[in-house]
Each structure stands twice: as C-alpha cells, then as structure tokens.
Amino acid sequence: MLQQVNGHSSGPNAHGGELREDLQEFLGQDAPLHLLDDLTKVNPVTLETVLRCLQARYMADTFYTNAGCTLVALNPFKPVPQLYLPELMKEYHAAPQPQKLKPHIFTVGEQTYRNVKSLIEPVNQSIVVSGESGAGKTWTSRSLMKFYAVVAASPTSWESHKIAERIEQRILNSNPVMEAFGNACTLRNNNSSRFGKFIQLQLNRAQQMTGAAVQTYLLEKTRVACQASSERNFHIFYQICKGASVEERLQWHLPEGATFSWLPNPERTLEEDCFEVTREAMLHLGIDTPTQNNIFKVLAGLLHLGNVRFADSSDEAQPCQLMDDAKCSVRTLASLLCLPEDPLLETLQIRTIRAGRQQQVFRKPCSQAECDTRRDCLAKLVYARLFDWLVSVINSSICAEPNSWTTFIGLLDVYGFESFPDNSLEQLCINYANEKLQQHFVAHYLRAQQEEYTVEGLEWSFVNYQDNQTCLDLIEGSPISICSLINEECRLNRPSSAAQLQTRIESALAGSPCLGHNKLSREPSFIVVHYAGPVRYYTAGLVEKNKDPIPPELTRLLQQSQDPLLKVLFPTEEKSQEEPSSQSRTPVLTVVSKFKASLEQLLQVLHGTTPHYIRCIKPNSQGQAQTFLLEEVLSQLEACGLVETIHISAAGFPIRVSHQNFVERYGLLRRLHPHTSPGPYSPFPDEGHSGWSPHAKEAMLQPLLQDILHTLPALTQAATPGDPAEAMPASVHCGKTKVFMTDSTLEVLERGRAQVLEQCARCIQGGWRRYRHRKQERQRQAAVLIQAAIRSWLTRRHIQRLHTAATVIKRAWQKWRIRMAFLASKELDDVEEKHLFQAPCSLSSFPLPQAQTRLLGAIIRLWPLGLVLANAAMGVRGFQRKLVVWACLQLPTSSPSSYTIQTIQEQAGVASIRALPQGSIKFHCRKSPLRYADICPEPSSYSVTGFNQILLERHRLGHV
C-alpha cells in the first residue's frame, strides 16, 4: 500500500510487479499527469494510476476532474475565489459545449439546466453531492445554488426582473440561516451539516427560477445538550454570544465572560461565527427584527437551561435539589421563556405516571440522572420545534405556487460518512443514509446500465463492482435487521440493557458478512462493515435515543408560556402523542422508523429524476492546503467505487435514446444521405394507427434508423477532415428499443443536425427574402404611380391657383390704374391757370437738338414721371433737368433766361411752381384723394411728400 505525507510517497507496492510496470509506463507518458482532465483517458485504469492523476492535479491547484459520469471534487482547504466568479458562471452558461471547458461543478450545473429544457426528454434533474464529512459538500451545494441563481434568471421586463431578483436573494439567504441553525464544528469539519437537506429549485416553462423548496432529514438535536470532546454546539449559539450588542446582552442575560456548560470551546473563532450575516439573511427571508430578538432570547434561555444542575437526593421520596449556582439560572430561564418558575422546576424534578384502568395519576420524584434527561429533553424539544418552524418560514418565503413551475432541479446535500471514537444512533442513521445513496448510485449506474445493455442485445462483458446490498440488508432488511431489533426493544415495555441488545444483534444476525465483532471492547457494541469502512456502534443509550420520549408534562408546561414564539411552536390545541388512550394504544413512531420513511420518500424523488453525481474527496483529515495523503484518499476511492465507475464510463454508452425520440430529433439528417430520398415521413407511427403493435412500430422505424445511422461516417469525416484515423464511424449501437451512443457520437449528431437546420434556415431565408424583395418591388412601382398621379394633380391645382391669382391681381391693377389716372386728371383739372392759355408755348420757338426734342416729347406725355424726376435727389442733371422742369410746367420757351426757378426756405409761406410770379395765384391745398399721397416713405431731405408739395424745399437751391 502506498503511503504519503505532504506529497512525498514511501513504501513498497503491494500489488505485484506487473502493476508496477504498468504504473511506470503510465508515469513515463509524455503528457503531464495534471493535464488529464478525464480519468477515462488514464491507461491502465487502476487505483494507483487514478490516485497519481488526482495527486498531480491537486498539487497544480486543479481541484475538479471528470470520471465518466461522475465529477471528482477535491477540497482545496483554502479560499479559491477565482473559481466561482459570476463571469466564470456566465462563461460556462454561454459556451456551446461546456464539456469542452475545464472540469468544474458549473459543467454539471449547466448540463442539468440544459437537460431540463431539452427537446428530447425534458425531465426533472437531480445532483447528488456525496462524500465524507469535511470533503466540501456544503460549499459545493452553495456554489451550485449561486450558479443557478445567475443563469436561471433572464426576465425581460423590469417588474419581473425585480421579482426574480428577490426570489434568488431569498433562496441564497436560506443557506446562511440553515447553516447557522443546523451546522456545527466537529472533529473533521468546521462547518459540518448536522442534518440532511434536499433543495428543490423550481423552474417555469421559460427555464427561469420561480422558487424553491427545502426538505430536511434527521436534525442532530442531541448536539444541543451533548457535545463530544473538542467539538462545538450549533453555530447560532456562538454567534449570539459573540455578536450581540450591549443592549442585547442585557435583554438576553448574556453578560461578558459568562460560561455555559452547553457552549464548549467558545475561544475558537471560525468563519461561520458571523452574527450580522445571519441576521441580514433572516431579514431578507421575512423574519423581522422583533421576531429575531424573540428567537435569540429563546436560544439564550436554552444556554441558561444547560447550567441547571441537580444534586443527588439521599431520600428517593424527595425530589433532587438544585445546585447553589443553578438557582439563578432557573430564575433567568423562567424569565426568558416567560414560564412560571415553580412549575418549571417541578416539571424537571417530578415525573407524572398514569396507571390503572381509571388512569390514576401518580407523582414520582426523579433521580439525578432522570432530572438531567428531562432537562436535556426540554432543550432538544424546543430546538427541534424552532428548527422545523424556521424551515417552514423559509419554504413559505421561497416556495412558488404549484401552477407557476413545471420542472425542478434537486440538490441533495446530506451528512457525509462518519466514524468517531464514540458512535451512537446519530452516526448509525447518517451512515445508513450514505449506504442508501451509494446503493442508488450502484443501482442506477453500475448495475442498471450493464443490465440494460444485455436486455437490449448489446455485446457487453460485465464489470465487477462493490455492491453494498448486503450491508443494507443488515441494517434495514426484513424480517430481522439492526433497525427492526432496536425498534422491537423500544416496543417492549421493559428496561433496556446494552449487553442484552448486543447479544440479540450478534445472535440474530450472525450470518451477515457485514457484521463484525470486537471481543476486546469492554463496553457493549457491534461493528458494521460499511462500504466506506467498518464502524463500531455502542449499544448503551441506543434504545432510549430511538424512543426519543417527550414527557407530556414538558409539552403542557411549554403550552403555558406567554412568549409569542413559544405559543406558535406549542399551540394549546395540540394533543400530546405520548398520551394514547387505554382503548386504542398505537405504537409510537421511533426515530429510526421516521428517518427510514423520509429516506424512502427522498429516494422515490431521486428515482423520478435524471441523477448527476459529484464525489467530494477530502485530501487530508487535518484540513491543510497542499497536503495530499495517499492512504486517506485511496480509502475514499475504494469506498465510492470510482475505478469501477471509470471502467463502465469508458466502455459504456452514457447516452441512450428511444427509437422514436431518436427519429424525431435526427430524422432530418436523411437529407445529407445521397442514396436516401428526403421525402416526408411520419415520426409518429401511432398517429391514426392506435391499433398497431409495438413490433409494427419498430419495423416501421428501422429503415429510418438505418438511414440516419448511415450518415454518421460522412458526419464524422466532416468533423475531423485532417485526421483520417479519427474519421471512422462513431461508436453507436442500435438496441431493441433504444439507441446507445457515446458523448462524442452525440456531438457529431448534434453538429450534423445543426448543419441541416442551418441549410433549411438558409433556404427559408432565401425564399422569404425573395418574396419580400418581390413584394417590395411591387409596392415601389405602385408607390411611383401614386406619387406621379398625386404630383401631376398637385401641379395642375397649383397652376390653376396661380392663374386665378394672376387674373385677380391683373384686374385689381387695371382698376387701380384707371382710378389713379382718373384721380390725377381730376386733381389737375381743378387748378385755374388762365395765363397759360393766353400765352401758349411752342416747341418750335426754342430750338433744341433732335434728341432733346424726343426726350421733351416723352416727358410731356409722362408728366407725373417728369415731376418726380425733377425733384429727385439723384436723377437728371444740368440741361436735361431744366428741360424736364419746363416741359412739366409747360412754360414759354421764347426767352428761357427770363425765368428763374428757386425755392424759398428761409421765408415764411409756400411757393408753388404752378403759378407765375406776375399773375394771380390760387393755392390748391385740398387733401389728395390718393392713398398715401401725404405720407413720406423715406426721411430724406430731397424726398417727395406728395403731388401738392412737389419742389417745396427748406433750403435755397439757387437759379437753375
């Protein structure tokens, strides 16, 4: 046997020289051992070669390794935060093939998540996390819950996002609460689960997490009142003692430096002693602060209950008296639990007995041992009820409505296999549960798969494996087993003897190979050879623990409490099960019977799911990092049957699909076969032919199966074009009712299916795009015609409006021009200028050039324009201006020098150019009827302000 301490091996090989040669050949391979991420690639597959691979990977800080259908998880015993980042979770979730990535628990989580939404067989999934105590099962389950909380939440709307976020937070917050109240520090693990739990993560049709449900098994409530050496009580007691504030200490009567007998090793500080994390998690679960304070007050009362000690009474007729230092503890206990002090003390000291047909009541003082037992029973009863109430609160907070979820993923985290120096009923139940889970693995994978190969007609040579059915028959078999003998001792109304129970077990079960004997032991005990190793169980106190008697007076006492929490835990209408009537006395369920029933219920749930296995391995029992003890790891590998699992996984076919489901999913691969017509076929032979026999259906499916399987060589060659050796047909076998194949074959089929779907999608896309293009072209042509018609109509309407507007403007302009001409002629006709008629002017008397004569004629015809030009600031200059003035005023041209035109600005009055100086002047000052005639358009000194004020200037211009 190999031996190793801290990575250095010593000792000869105990398996012969042939195995040593194989091992040397294996160790001399070119590839480093730590790069073998799948143990099925190890050649040869032996315990030593598997052990060497795990050791090399552990020393290289690689803690996860595939072993066929199982994932091996080595406990690193140190924080490795980079292995559990949310980014890494999303990477495994988004990967097309997560199995191609490095082995991880996220690979198992993603595989279960994809199987839930699988189109072939969407069935419920379960993950069984197994291993010894301290192997890392609790951490693995916690990390898987975080993974599902990240990947199983993709809501679209903001409101649904908030709801999903709240559900995920509550599910994750259930872990700290349950670990605080259900985990404790043991010899092998600082955070050992002292109960089993099955977490059901509920998913809706869109594969989104809508809720969860927690089912617990066998809480180790005896730890409240009894702790082994170097172990601790539940974490919550240390949390309230270390994390309470000054006010809370006064309220809960927990002074600094106080010692409690039920709080051993308080000086040890663990990572789990974080009170604020527990309080915040309880707050998120809906447990408000007053209820939390009430819970912690009851727990503080249980700590004070542990300090209640009795002195042995010399007189059996007198009850045992309290120790001197216990009186204060009773007073504090009664105050914290809101119980009357005297009835509380009397219940612990005096036992009530009902005897006779009339059920007469007798009161008998208890001995010191009985008083201690009743005290411990009171603590266990309160704590067990409190734990169950917390589980119900958690379920009510995180559980979804039955119609809101369709499938689930189950996480099973149970206590690991335990073997302590002193083992009792708790260890027997724990190891019994591990035996059942090991049998589930054996029955589901090692045995069932090989038997299925034979039934389906595959050529298969059986792989030997360790079957633990013999051990299970010893523990739970019928008609005689260890459990049945213990229950029979409980039913017999007589004092139980430890030696007598040992004798009965050894004599009744002497023929079982799994029952051992230890003749050197002084105390009565028996040995059970489990799959993980032999364990010795002491029979002393075994029957009493199995009875788990609860005195009815204790229940009645707690029903009298005025504490709000205890009123909920112990309602007054509850009837004690320990008080059966005389007419119908039914046997009370024992601890073993209740645990066996709950375990059977759990296995029924597991059998209805597709299981996945994670084997947690503890590299060493000291909890040290980078320390790999070969002997300890080797015993764990032998116990869980890992080598046999690797053999079957390497040679077997983990993927099995029924013929009909296979044809339904991969029937479209017939399109890739050149000799097969991709004509239509019906994957449902029973449609319309309900009377067909199964043989007829199988006969119709066989040609389709053969057509699909004929495409595998081409698919495999297309997958590996560079290596013709790997282009051989994939390993696949067609059984009588199922198709068996390996993971590589499934990948090839899925790749070919994706290729055909891509071709079909491209064909559909091409047809759709062609149809859409034609439709768009027709729509474009129609739009052009409509646009042309609308534009022509708009143009015609615009031109018509322009014609109408032009006609209106033209008519208005003509009317205005006629009116202006009429007004101007009327204004000029009203002026009396008689001297002009007496001396008519003649153009011929004043000789002018021909050009000027033409200009003068034009000016005379257009006299208004001549008036404006004569008074303009910029216009005709010099001689032409003088002609304009003469022509406009129609002056005689005989002697032009005799007339002087001037403006008078400095003199008062107005001078007009229409009157001659020597004649009479008639000044026309009537307002002009022309519109805007009296308004100056521009503030210029030379501007014309009206026809009646032309040439009126304020400055002298001189002679023209």
Side-chain angles (χ1 to χ4, degrees):
M1 182 68 66
L2 290 175
Q3 297 179 357
Q4 174 170 354
V5 177
N6 294 339
H8 302 284
S9 61
S10 62
N13 185 9
H15 298 281
E18 181 180 357
L19 182 59
R20 172 58 63 184
E21 294 177 1
D22 294 341
L23 182 60
Q24 291 296 336
E25 181 182 357
F26 167 72
L27 296 176
Q29 292 179 357
D30 297 334
L33 297 182
H34 68 276
L35 297 181
L36 293 175
D37 55 0
D38 195 340
L39 296 179
T40 57
K41 301 177 182 178
V42 175
N43 190 16
V45 179
T46 62
L47 277 173
E48 291 188 350
T49 56
V50 171
L51 195 64
R52 291 292 184 182
C53 280
L54 293 178
Q55 178 190 4
R57 292 177 66 82
Y58 184 77
M59 292 304 172
D61 285 345
T62 306
F63 307 108
Y64 295 109
T65 308
N66 290 325
C69 67
T70 306
L71 177 70
V72 178
L74 297 171
N75 194 340
F77 290 119
K78 63 180 180 180
V80 194
Q82 65 273 13
L83 276 180
Y84 309 99
L85 295 175
E87 293 78 11
L88 191 62
M89 299 179 186
K90 296 178 181 178
E91 179 182 354
Y92 276 84
H93 178 58
Q97 296 179 345
Q99 61 272 17
K100 296 296 184 181
L101 301 178
K102 294 182 179 180
H104 204 287
I105 57 174
F106 298 158
T107 307
V108 180
E110 181 61 24
Q111 183 180 359
T112 58
Y113 183 70
R114 295 189 182 186
N115 287 354
V116 167
K117 62 179 182 179
S118 173
L119 297 179
I120 300 180
E121 295 178 354
V123 297
N124 299 324
Q125 306 290 309
S126 62
I127 301 178
V128 180
V129 184
S130 60
E132 290 190 1
S133 179
K137 300 184 300 299
T138 301
W139 175 262
T140 301
S141 302
R142 190 189 310 170
S143 301
L144 284 172
M145 290 182 65
K146 292 181 180 178
F147 173 79
Y148 288 121
V150 171
V151 305
S154 55
T156 54
S157 64
W158 173 253
E159 182 180 357
S160 58
H161 173 72
K162 298 298 290 184
I163 295 175
E165 190 177 41
R166 183 172 67 252
I167 293 173
E168 298 158 18
Q169 190 65 32
R170 288 184 177 181
I171 292 174
L172 294 179
N173 283 323
S174 64
N175 272 331
V177 177
M178 301 195 70
E179 290 181 11
F181 285 85
N183 290 18
C185 176
T186 62
L187 293 174
R188 297 188 175 185
N189 187 7
N190 290 340
N191 190 30
S192 177
S193 298
R194 308 318 302 162
F195 71 104
K197 64 176 179 290
F198 180 73
I199 304 174
Q200 187 185 67
L201 303 177
Q202 300 160 348
L203 306 176
N204 58 13
R205 295 185 182 276
Q207 286 76 47
Q208 298 173 3
M209 191 185 304
T210 60
V214 181
Q215 185 177 359
T216 58
Y217 304 92
L218 191 66
L219 174 69
E220 191 188 16
K221 57 184 179 182
T222 56
R223 183 170 291 271
V224 178
C226 181
Q227 303 85 29
S229 178
S230 301
E231 292 190 355
R232 299 203 321 172
N233 208 328
F234 292 103
H235 293 322
I236 188 63
F237 292 104
Y238 299 90
Q239 291 180 2
I240 62 176
C241 290
K242 295 180 180 181
S245 61
V246 178
E247 295 79 7
E248 292 171 342
R249 288 182 180 277
L250 293 175
Q251 181 183 358
W252 303 336
H253 299 277
L254 298 174
E256 287 281 354
T259 58
F260 301 96
S261 60
W262 287 354
L263 202 69
N265 304 315
E267 69 280 353
R268 294 186 61 181
T269 302
L270 303 180
E271 182 183 355
E272 290 76 19
D273 295 341
C274 188
F275 190 40
E276 292 301 325
V277 173
T278 304
R279 300 200 69 165
E280 185 177 357
M282 295 175 70
L283 198 62
H284 283 95
L285 290 174
I287 306 175
D288 54 10
T289 303
T291 307
Q292 292 182 26
N293 294 333
N294 200 358
I295 294 173
F296 302 141
K297 184 181 68 170
V298 172
L299 294 177
L302 296 184
L303 290 178
H304 286 282
L305 178 61
N307 290 343
V308 176
R309 298 188 177 276
F310 298 91
D312 194 7
S313 177
S314 57
D315 187 3
E316 294 182 359
Q318 298 296 326
C320 297
Q321 298 299 318
L322 289 172
M323 294 283 191
D324 294 336
D325 55 348
K327 296 180 180 179
C328 181
S329 298
V330 172
R331 191 178 305 110
T332 305
L333 170 65
S335 174
L336 290 173
L337 299 185
C338 298
L339 292 172
E341 183 177 350
D342 294 337
L344 170 62
L345 187 59
E346 183 180 349
T347 305
L348 297 178
Q349 292 174 328
I350 300 176
R351 180 162 55 106
T352 302
I353 302 175
R354 296 179 181 270
R357 294 182 178 180
Q358 288 77 18
Q359 292 290 307
Q360 296 180 355
V361 178
F362 298 93
R363 297 167 60 85
K364 179 184 178 181
C366 299
S367 63
Q368 180 186 6
E370 290 176 342
C371 290
D372 293 342
T373 302
R374 294 170 75 86
R375 176 203 60 197
D376 296 348
C377 183
L378 178 62
K380 292 187 292 184
L381 177 61
V382 173
Y383 195 83
R385 292 283 186 96
L386 177 60
F387 185 81
D388 293 339
W389 177 80
L390 279 174
V391 173
S392 64
V393 170
I394 291 174
N395 283 332
S396 63
S397 177
I398 65 178
C399 190
E401 296 295 331
N403 56 354
S404 65
W405 61 278
T406 55
T407 54
F408 69 86
I409 298 176
L411 296 178
L412 179 61
D413 175 21
V414 296
Y415 10 62
F417 185 85
E418 291 184 350
S419 178
F420 297 122
D422 186 5
N423 302 287
S424 186
L425 183 67
E426 294 81 13
Q427 283 69 39
L428 178 61
C429 292
I430 288 172
N431 295 337
Y432 168 48
N434 281 271
E435 289 283 354
K436 293 289 286 185
L437 293 177
Q438 177 66 17
Q439 178 63 21
H440 175 265
F441 173 73
V442 169
H444 178 268
Y445 192 79
L446 301 182
R447 182 198 304 148
Q449 288 199 9
Q450 299 189 83
E451 291 178 353
E452 188 176 16
Y453 296 154
T454 305
V455 172
E456 290 287 334
L458 275 70
E459 296 182 0
W460 179 263
S461 59
F462 271 78
V463 176
N464 296 324
Y465 57 87
Q466 181 182 358
D467 194 351
N468 62 336
Q469 186 61 45
T470 306
C471 183
L472 279 176
D473 293 338
L474 173 65
I475 298 176
E476 66 169 6
S478 179
I480 300 176
S481 62
I482 294 176
C483 292
S484 64
L485 292 175
I486 296 175
N487 288 335
E488 185 178 352
E489 286 291 327
C490 294
R491 286 192 294 268
L492 296 176
N493 193 9
R494 67 180 184 183
S496 176
S497 172
Q500 184 179 0
L501 178 61
Q502 176 189 3
T503 303
R504 289 196 64 187
I505 291 176
E506 290 179 352
S507 60
L509 303 172
S512 176
C514 294
L515 182 65
H517 307 277
N518 188 3
K519 298 181 179 180
L520 300 178
S521 176
R522 297 181 179 180
E523 299 181 7
S525 62
F526 60 92
I527 296 176
V528 177
V529 182
H530 292 280
Y531 75 96
V535 179
R536 184 175 65 174
Y537 301 98
Y538 292 95
T539 57
L542 199 64
V543 177
E544 286 74 16
K545 289 183 178 181
N546 190 34
K547 288 181 180 179
D548 193 19
I550 301 175
E553 51 267 26
L554 289 181
T555 305
R556 289 195 297 266
L557 173 68
L558 293 172
Q559 289 175 350
Q560 299 175 6
S561 174
Q562 300 302 317
D563 185 78
L565 179 60
L566 292 180
K567 285 184 177 181
V568 176
L569 300 180
F570 300 92
T572 56
E573 64 272 8
E574 177 185 4
K575 294 183 179 180
S576 177
Q577 297 180 355
E578 285 73 20
E579 295 184 87
S581 62
S582 58
Q583 287 95 8
S584 60
R585 183 180 298 271
T586 58
V588 179
L589 288 177
T590 61
V591 172
V592 171
S593 299
K594 291 187 289 187
F595 181 68
K596 182 179 179 181
S598 62
L599 201 57
E600 290 294 338
Q601 183 182 2
L602 171 64
L603 290 175
Q604 288 181 2
V605 175
L606 293 180
H607 282 302
T609 63
T610 300
H612 305 263
Y613 302 95
I614 298 178
R615 295 285 189 181
C616 296
I617 303 295
K618 183 170 56 175
N620 59 85
S621 57
Q622 293 77 25
Q624 299 178 358
Q626 291 293 315
T627 302
F628 194 92
L629 300 181
L630 289 178
E631 287 186 352
E632 295 186 10
V633 178
L634 189 62
S635 63
Q636 298 176 63
L637 296 181
E638 289 176 343
C640 65
L642 188 64
V643 175
E644 294 83 357
T645 304
I646 297 172
H647 275 296
I648 297 176
S649 300
F653 306 95
I655 309 299
R656 60 208 62 205
V657 186
S658 65
H659 288 173
Q660 181 144 344
N661 288 335
F662 187 82
V663 172
E664 288 176 9
R665 186 164 182 85
Y666 302 110
L668 46 82
L669 292 179
R670 299 166 63 232
R671 297 172 177 269
L672 300 177
H673 201 277
H675 303 290
T676 304
S677 173
Y681 67 93
S682 175
F684 304 98
D686 54 345
E687 291 183 0
H689 303 276
S690 57
W692 283 13
S693 64
H695 297 287
K697 296 179 182 179
E698 290 295 333
M700 197 187 76
L701 288 174
Q702 284 300 324
L704 301 177
L705 287 172
Q706 296 302 324
D707 288 344
I708 297 172
L709 295 179
H710 286 164
T711 62
L712 279 176
L715 292 175
T716 307
Q717 186 175 5
T720 57
D723 193 354
E726 296 184 2
M728 298 299 293
S731 180
V732 59
H733 291 274
C734 185
K736 296 179 180 179
T737 61
K738 294 181 180 179
V739 177
F740 297 84
M741 51 189 166
T742 60
D743 290 327
S744 59
T745 306
L746 180 64
E747 293 178 9
V748 172
L749 289 173
E750 288 293 330
R751 191 181 300 111
R753 181 174 182 271
Q755 179 182 353
V756 175
L757 289 177
E758 183 180 0
Q759 294 176 358
C760 295
R762 291 182 181 276
C763 182
I764 294 173
Q765 288 177 357
W768 166 251
R769 288 172 181 170
R770 181 167 55 252
Y771 163 75
R772 188 177 59 180
H773 179 72
R774 292 176 179 176
K775 181 179 178 180
Q776 289 178 352
E777 181 65 22
R778 290 194 300 267
Q779 290 177 349
R780 189 186 65 82
Q781 294 176 0
V784 169
L785 292 177
I786 294 173
Q787 289 177 358
I790 291 177
R791 287 173 180 172
S792 62
W793 177 76
L794 290 176
T795 304
R796 287 195 301 269
R797 192 179 68 168
H798 180 65
I799 293 175
Q800 291 176 358
R801 293 180 62 184
L802 289 180
H803 277 295
T804 303
T807 304
V808 173
I809 294 173
K810 181 178 180 180
R811 291 177 180 176
W813 163 251
Q814 291 177 352
K815 290 171 61 177
W816 179 84
R817 188 176 60 178
I818 295 172
R819 183 185 176 114
M820 291 300 105
F822 171 74
L823 293 176
S825 61
K826 184 178 180 181
E827 181 180 1
L828 294 179
D829 290 342
D830 290 340
V831 180
E832 295 181 1
E833 298 177 346
K834 296 181 179 181
H835 59 279
L836 292 177
F837 296 99
Q838 296 176 0
C841 58
S842 177
L843 294 176
S844 59
S845 59
F846 185 71
L848 291 174
Q850 185 178 1
Q852 293 182 1
T853 303
R854 294 194 189 124
L855 179 59
L856 182 58
I859 292 174
I860 291 174
R861 287 192 301 270
L862 300 176
W863 65 267
L865 180 60
L867 292 176
V868 174
L869 292 177
N871 196 41
M874 299 297 295
V876 183
R877 299 294 181 181
F879 180 69
Q880 293 182 358
R881 182 172 179 176
K882 183 187 299 183
L883 294 178
V884 169
V885 175
W886 286 340
C888 289
L889 297 181
Q890 296 182 359
L891 299 177
T893 56
S894 56
S895 56
S897 61
S898 62
Y899 301 99
T900 302
I901 300 175
Q902 62 181 2
T903 59
I904 303 173
Q905 296 179 347
E906 297 178 358
Q907 297 177 1
V910 180
S912 177
I913 62 172
R914 296 187 180 185
L916 297 176
Q918 65 274 17
S920 61
I921 297 175
K922 183 178 181 180
F923 190 82
H924 179 70
C925 60
R926 189 178 61 175
K927 184 177 180 180
S928 175
L930 296 178
R931 193 177 182 182
Y932 306 115
D934 300 320
I935 296 177
C936 180
E938 295 182 1
S940 174
S941 57
Y942 302 102
S943 299
V944 179
T945 59
F947 285 106
N948 293 340
Q949 298 179 8
I950 296 176
L951 302 181
L952 300 181
E953 301 175 355
R954 294 184 178 276
H955 57 280
R956 187 176 298 273
L957 295 177
H959 297 282
V960 181

